[in-house]
Amino acid sequence: MLATNKNILVVDDEVKILDVVSSYLESKGYMVFRAEDGQEAMKLFERENISLVILDLMLPDISGEEICNRIRRKSRTPIIMLTAKVEEEDLISGLKNGADDYMTKPFSLKELAARVETVLRRSSEDLVPLFSKNSFHDGDLFVDFEQNIIKKREKHVNLTRSEMKILSALIKYPGKVFTRDELIEITLGKDYTGYDRAIDSHIKNLRQKIEDHPKEPIYVITIHGKGYKFGGE
């Protein structure tokens, strides 16, 4: 089955590895962005809607560990580390820095694709935000995901399960643009076969509850032709 709406960033200074991995993942239906060093990787990560990062541990400018740290400070986008190192301490270090999985070189492309699919599926099911509590726009909106508490100007807001899943996903990946299909999978499940505009109703209801001006939202923002993103500060 081919993947859809999933952008993968592959970072490695070995062009042959970039060529082979990119070609194989593209054959599986993924959109692949590639970078040969850390600076280009961060530029692509900031600019594109990346769903997963395949990251070489040894890069010529910025280490893979540092790239991982920088990504983790702003997002829970899944990361699979590639490493030629086999020492246990190096592998543990990579995982401590926020990597979701790792593979040692040389590796099987088939196994890499399987790991990618597994990590993407796990990340879509595990909607744990970067933080459990936070407030936005000087306390206008307060969220506590541990207690499932949402407040608008100190007043409790009752969200449905679907609305909470949408808000959690948007906040979990700050800056990420979620397509309609991605939000449907998150809220209604990947087997949902109903009307795809159902998600728009959930978005509309969520905006009514947390926005001052639902038609001019500052939290749940529409990116025309792409989907939705979180705009809280």
Side-chain angles (χ1 to χ4, degrees):
M1 181 181 294
L2 293 181
T4 57
N5 302 318
K6 299 297 183 183
N7 297 333
I8 297 180
L9 172 59
V10 182
V11 188
D12 200 303
D13 62 337
E14 296 184 52
V15 176
K16 288 184 178 180
I17 290 180
L18 280 180
D19 289 341
V20 172
V21 170
S22 299
S23 178
Y24 191 79
L25 292 176
E26 286 169 351
S27 75
K28 298 296 181 182
Y30 297 103
M31 173 68 75
V32 178
F33 296 88
R34 44 190 287 170
E36 295 180 34
D37 58 54
Q39 290 188 5
E40 180 64 20
M42 290 309 302
K43 289 178 182 178
L44 284 168
F45 185 82
E46 296 288 350
R47 188 172 71 235
E48 305 296 340
N49 186 25
I50 301 299
S51 303
L52 180 143
V53 180
I54 297 175
L55 178 62
D56 185 28
L57 194 62
M58 302 295 290
L59 295 172
D61 55 350
I62 307 171
S63 71
E65 290 100 330
E66 177 59 24
I67 295 295
C68 193
N69 282 329
R70 293 185 187 185
I71 291 175
R72 277 294 164 267
R73 285 197 288 267
K74 61 181 66 179
S75 171
R76 285 201 184 276
T77 300
I79 299 170
I80 297 177
M81 281 280 202
L82 300 181
T83 175
K85 298 180 179 180
V86 295
E87 290 83 357
E88 185 177 8
E89 289 184 2
D90 294 313
L91 300 179
I92 291 174
S93 175
L95 295 174
K96 282 184 176 179
N97 284 328
D100 296 86
D101 202 352
Y102 66 87
M103 295 191 70
T104 55
K105 297 178 179 179
F107 52 84
S108 158
L109 290 172
K110 185 175 181 180
E111 182 182 356
L112 177 62
R115 297 280 189 96
V116 166
E117 183 178 349
T118 297
V119 171
L120 282 172
R121 182 173 64 250
R122 188 168 65 218
S123 69
S124 68
E125 293 170 350
D126 179 24
L127 293 177
V128 179
L130 284 169
F131 45 80
S132 59
K133 300 179 183 180
N134 209 345
S135 62
F136 302 93
H137 292 280
D138 297 323
D140 176 69
L141 180 68
F142 172 79
V143 298
D144 181 341
F145 288 109
E146 287 184 344
Q147 302 295 324
N148 284 330
I149 294 174
I150 308 296
K151 292 182 180 180
K152 173 71 174 178
R153 293 179 180 166
E154 300 296 329
K155 293 184 179 180
H156 284 271
V157 176
N158 293 318
L159 299 183
T160 66
R161 181 177 176 82
S162 293
E163 291 162 2
M164 181 66 83
K165 284 185 176 181
I166 291 171
L167 184 60
S168 177
L170 294 177
I171 291 177
K172 173 187 174 185
Y173 293 99
K176 173 178 169 58
V177 179
F178 282 85
T179 65
R180 182 177 285 105
D181 288 342
E182 286 176 321
L183 290 178
I184 287 174
E185 182 175 326
I186 287 167
T187 58
L188 303 173
K190 60 181 62 179
D191 296 326
Y192 178 76
T193 57
Y195 186 46
D196 68 352
R197 291 282 175 174
I199 200 69
D200 294 346
S201 296
H202 293 305
I203 293 288
K204 181 179 180 181
N205 293 336
L206 177 59
R207 284 173 169 165
Q208 291 288 341
K209 295 176 180 180
I210 68 172
E211 304 280 6
D212 287 334
H213 306 287
K215 292 185 178 180
E216 298 177 2
I218 63 173
Y219 295 115
V220 183
I221 299 175
T222 299
I223 306 299
H224 294 288
K226 294 184 177 181
Y228 302 95
K229 65 176 287 187
F230 186 70
E233 299 178 351

